[in-house]
């Protein structure tokens, strides 16, 4: 179960709304959704949470690139909305490399086995489930820009210590807790 909220800063304070993510398939879609909610290109925060497993904050300031923080990258990677937030850049991957590798694997049997034959590994070699051997493994724990909310009242340390009900604590830190209650 997911919950998503959008907090848009206006000259009168913050406006909050729960956010429907059914039509969001990419980070670009999410960024456009945030910009559409923006008044005079002010700051917009998009908060996404999956039942206390992970949460993410995307900050959009006008036409600048979105700034992203995810509380647990490995948990988010197992989620369709989490995958939207985990960009190649955040994960230290070459952009588009995963798509190219998948396309090549479809064309050629790269593991050296026949169809239906189990994969072989050299003695002492890392197995297919060994994350240390996988350069594309998603790290456990927080990832992204720790200072994403620093100028709004939430320090990096506070962001790192958030656990359950992180949205309420974020909203309190940025001064939006009253308007958040109206959408929860």
């Amino acid at each position: 179960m997911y919950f998503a909220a959008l907090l848009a800063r206006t000259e009168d304070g913050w406006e909050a709304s729960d956010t429907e993510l059914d039509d969001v398939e990419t980070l670009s879609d999410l960024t456009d959704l945030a910009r559409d909610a923006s008044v005079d290109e002010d700051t917009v925060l998009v908060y996404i949470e999956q039942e206390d497993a992970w949460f993410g904050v995307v900050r959009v300031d006008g036409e600048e690139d979105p700034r992203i923080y995810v509380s647990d990258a490995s948990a988010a990677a197992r989620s369709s909305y989490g995958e939207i937030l985990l960009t190649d850049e955040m994960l230290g991957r070459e952009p588009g490399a995963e798509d190219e590798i998948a396309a090549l694997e479809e064309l050629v049997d790269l593991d050296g086995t026949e169809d239906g034959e189990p994969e072989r590994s050299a003695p002492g070699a890392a197995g297919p489930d060994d994350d240390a051997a996988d350069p594309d493994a998603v790290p456990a724990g927080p990832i992204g820009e720790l200072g994403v909310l620093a100028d709004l009242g939430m320090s990096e340390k506070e962001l790192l210590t958030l656990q359950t009900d992180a949205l309420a604590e974020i909203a309190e830190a940025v001064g939006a807790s009253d308007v958040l209650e109206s959408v929860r």
Side-chain angles (χ1 to χ4, degrees):
M1 181 80 164
Y2 292 94
F3 175 76
L6 191 135
L7 298 171
R9 187 162 55 180
T10 69
E11 49 180 65
D12 297 328
W14 290 91
E15 291 182 6
S17 61
D18 57 344
T19 303
E20 190 61 46
L21 298 177
D22 290 343
D23 296 331
V24 174
E25 295 179 6
T26 66
L27 181 58
S28 180
D29 293 343
L30 188 61
T31 303
D32 289 344
L33 180 73
R35 286 189 178 119
D36 289 346
S38 175
V39 177
D40 296 326
E41 296 189 0
D42 274 335
T43 300
V44 177
L45 302 175
V46 180
Y47 176 89
I48 302 172
E49 175 183 90
Q50 182 186 7
E51 291 187 344
D52 299 329
W54 66 273
F55 72 89
V57 176
V58 178
R59 178 177 177 164
V60 178
D61 294 300
E63 292 300 316
E64 293 180 26
D65 287 341
R67 298 165 56 193
I68 305 166
Y69 171 80
V70 176
S71 66
D72 186 337
S74 62
R78 296 185 295 270
S79 151
S80 58
Y81 293 123
E83 286 180 341
I84 291 171
L85 303 182
L86 297 174
T87 64
D88 287 336
E89 181 180 349
M90 280 178 68
L91 297 171
R93 296 179 183 160
E94 184 72 32
E98 193 171 289
D99 296 336
E100 291 174 17
I101 291 169
L104 286 173
E105 286 176 344
E106 283 184 30
L107 294 173
V108 180
D109 184 15
L110 294 178
D111 67 2
T113 62
E114 295 294 324
D115 287 339
E117 180 182 340
E119 284 189 35
R120 298 177 303 236
S121 60
D129 294 329
D130 187 351
D131 286 341
D134 184 2
D136 290 331
V138 176
I143 192 169
E145 190 171 330
L146 294 175
V148 69
L149 301 172
D151 65 323
L152 297 175
M154 178 162 277
S155 71
E156 293 177 11
K157 182 179 179 182
E158 290 172 314
L159 188 61
L160 283 170
T161 59
L162 292 178
Q163 298 292 319
T164 59
D165 204 21
L167 178 57
E169 292 185 46
I170 291 170
E172 185 175 323
V174 303
S177 55
D178 290 340
V179 295
L180 176 65
E181 289 305 315
S182 67
V183 298
R184 270 199 136 179

